[in-house]
């Protein structure tokens, strides 16, 4: 299991130290939550801060867009060459076009499903994707309770992935901790995002390692 700590739960007063701590602590990716105050009822960081995160980071960026205008935000972050940019199926009229745009930029495309969205809704996009991100909370805030039905959804998605594109990874985001990690692994999940579980721990490295099962 790969682990992508979400910096949403970091102490932004000492952000450089918080980034260095998770990189030195053995994380696999750095999850960056970008919100626009429209698609979700919250706002986070913009390009000035993400640029400075990228300078400090020694692990690849996993940028999660929670925005209405995906084109606009992709253009803001493309120059950083993040490993992944994920966008919500619920916010995009032309998801296939966005996938092609990311591919042309050399960025691995990923689609995010909110708790109500079904894996079947993206079945015909799977062959073009590197990753599907399943939300296990409603997007917008860290520290929420894990929605249990994501386990069943991951199991169903895994079946579709094996049929359509076995190289596509499954990531789960929201409420992940040491109690649900084994169920996520058993359901075929490859990457977990963990915000409050990692940044709320006394020892970030120990928290990260407890999820790398
Ligand atoms: C929620 C974000 C998550 C969030 C996860 O909108 O997408 O990445 O930071 O935080 P935890 O792990 O605390 O649920
Ligand atoms: Zn996220």
């Amino acid at each position: 299991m790969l682990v992508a700590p979400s910096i949403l739960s970091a102490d932004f007063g000492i952000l450089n130290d918080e980034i260095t701590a998770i990189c030195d602590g053995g994380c696999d990716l750095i999850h960056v939550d970008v919100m626009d105050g429209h698609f979700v009822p919250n706002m986070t960081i913009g390009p000035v801060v993400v640029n400075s995160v990228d300078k400090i980071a020694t692990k690849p960026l996993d940028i999660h867009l929670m925005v209405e205008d995906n084109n606009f935000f992709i253009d803001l972050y493309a120059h950083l060459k993040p490993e992944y940019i994920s966008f919500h199926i619920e916010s995009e009229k032309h998801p296939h076009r966005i996938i092609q745009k990311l591919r042309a930029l050399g960025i691995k495309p990923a689609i995010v499903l909110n708790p109500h969205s079904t894996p079947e809704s993206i079945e015909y996009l799977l062959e073009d994707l590197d990753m599907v991100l399943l939300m296990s909370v409603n997007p917008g805030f860290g520290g929420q309770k894990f929605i249990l039905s994501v386990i069943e959804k991951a199991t169903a998605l895994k079946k579709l992935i094996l049929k359509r594109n076995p190289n596509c990874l499954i990531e789960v985001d929201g409420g992940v901790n040491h109690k649900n990690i084994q169920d996520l692994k058993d359901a075929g999940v490859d990457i977990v995002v963990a915000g409050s579980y990692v940044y709320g721990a006394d020892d970030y490295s120990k928290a990260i390692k407890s999820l790398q099962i």
Side-chain angles (χ1 to χ4, degrees), residues 6 31-33 64 66 133 135 173 193:
S6 162
H31 188 80
V32 178
D33 289 303
H64 175 191
M66 285 159 273
L133 168 49
M135 290 309 299
D173 182 5
V193 176

Side-chain angles (χ1 to χ4, degrees), residues 184-198:
L184 290 165
K185 173 101 181 168
D186 293 346
V189 174
D190 305 284
I191 308 177
V192 287
V193 176
S196 49
Y197 179 70
V198 169

Side-chain angles (χ1 to χ4, degrees), residues 127-183:
E127 65 182 34
D128 300 304
L129 289 169
D130 278 75
M131 184 168 83
V132 177
L133 168 49
L134 300 179
M135 290 309 299
S136 40
V137 296
N138 284 298
F141 304 92
Q144 303 181 78
K145 191 170 173 280
F146 185 78
I147 297 173
L148 208 56
S149 60
V150 79
I151 302 285
E152 189 184 333
K153 198 196 281 193
T155 307
L157 173 61
K158 187 73 183 179
K159 280 192 192 139
L160 290 180
I161 281 179
L162 290 174
K163 187 166 113 190
R164 299 277 175 193
N165 174 12
N167 295 323
C168 181
L169 301 183
I170 302 178
E171 183 175 44
V172 167
D173 182 5
V176 172
N177 58 39
H178 63 290
K179 291 183 196 151
N180 47 38
I181 193 69
Q182 187 62 52
D183 288 344

